[in-house]
Amino acid sequence: YQRRVHGAIKQLTKPVGKNLIVYASEYPRFRGVCVRLGQRYHRWTSYLQGKRNIGELKEPAAIQMGTEALTELMVLTVGIMIVSYEVAHNVRKDREKTAKLEARFATLEAQAAAAVQRQDALQAEIDALRAQQRPQPHDTHPTRRRGWFS
């Protein structure tokens, strides 16, 4: 996924980089920015490669490197924006999921409490019915026989 996105970003920024070169050739102020950036980029990459005592680039090469650096900076910026969006989106989804789970948990707790209250009420009703129920007295009628040999 990330490789495809990175490739798409690079494909979209290639025309922009070419337009930057044209723009630098037409506008002297932007050309100066690209030349300075290209020189710094050249010195930095040469330093990282271990090269010392390097000379200045000619203006067309400096413009080329400067516009390449700007293009890479655009790619980096867009990449950071995409990653930031993805992180924010995932955080938002996690918060929503947590909120739903907490709401469900609160509902289940309320249902459990209601069930306990209902059980207590039913138990009280059973206890009341048992208290009302009295043993029936034996039949003590004198003319009536109680058993076989009475």
Side-chain angles (χ1 to χ4, degrees):
Y1 172 73
Q2 292 173 347
R3 287 183 183 178
R4 281 188 258 148
V5 169
H6 187 263
I9 292 170
K10 281 207 169 228
Q11 289 296 332
L12 292 173
T13 56
K14 281 183 183 180
V16 173
K18 290 178 183 177
N19 287 338
L20 287 177
I21 293 173
V22 171
Y23 191 73
S25 67
E26 293 177 2
Y27 296 95
R29 219 175 204 178
F30 186 66
R31 180 183 315 123
V33 170
C34 288
V35 168
R36 285 190 301 277
L37 182 61
Q39 294 292 356
R40 286 186 181 143
Y41 187 65
H42 173 66
R43 280 193 297 272
W44 187 62
T45 55
S46 297
Y47 175 77
L48 290 177
Q49 293 172 356
K51 298 177 184 175
R52 304 285 187 256
N53 299 327
I54 52 165
E56 294 288 315
L57 290 175
K58 294 183 180 177
E59 188 172 289
I63 291 173
Q64 178 71 31
M65 285 200 76
T67 56
E68 285 177 11
L70 282 174
T71 303
E72 289 299 320
L73 183 63
M74 286 178 4
V75 168
L76 178 66
T77 303
V78 170
I80 289 171
M81 288 175 17
I82 288 172
V83 168
S84 298
Y85 170 78
E86 287 293 323
V87 167
H89 180 70
N90 288 337
V91 166
R92 185 173 48 250
K93 280 176 42 179
D94 287 344
R95 284 184 184 156
E96 289 172 0
K97 185 177 179 181
T98 301
K100 284 181 183 178
L101 287 174
E102 287 176 352
R104 178 70 178 144
F105 184 70
T107 301
L108 290 173
E109 279 184 325
Q111 289 174 350
V116 167
Q117 287 178 341
R118 179 70 178 144
Q119 182 182 9
D120 291 344
L122 288 173
Q123 187 63 47
E125 194 176 322
I126 290 170
D127 293 342
L129 288 173
R130 282 187 181 156
Q132 286 177 357
Q133 191 179 35
R134 293 196 171 94
Q136 296 293 328
H138 293 289
D139 196 4
T140 56
H141 196 274
T143 59
R144 200 158 181 207
R145 294 185 182 169
R146 296 173 114 207
W148 288 85
F149 301 107
S150 338

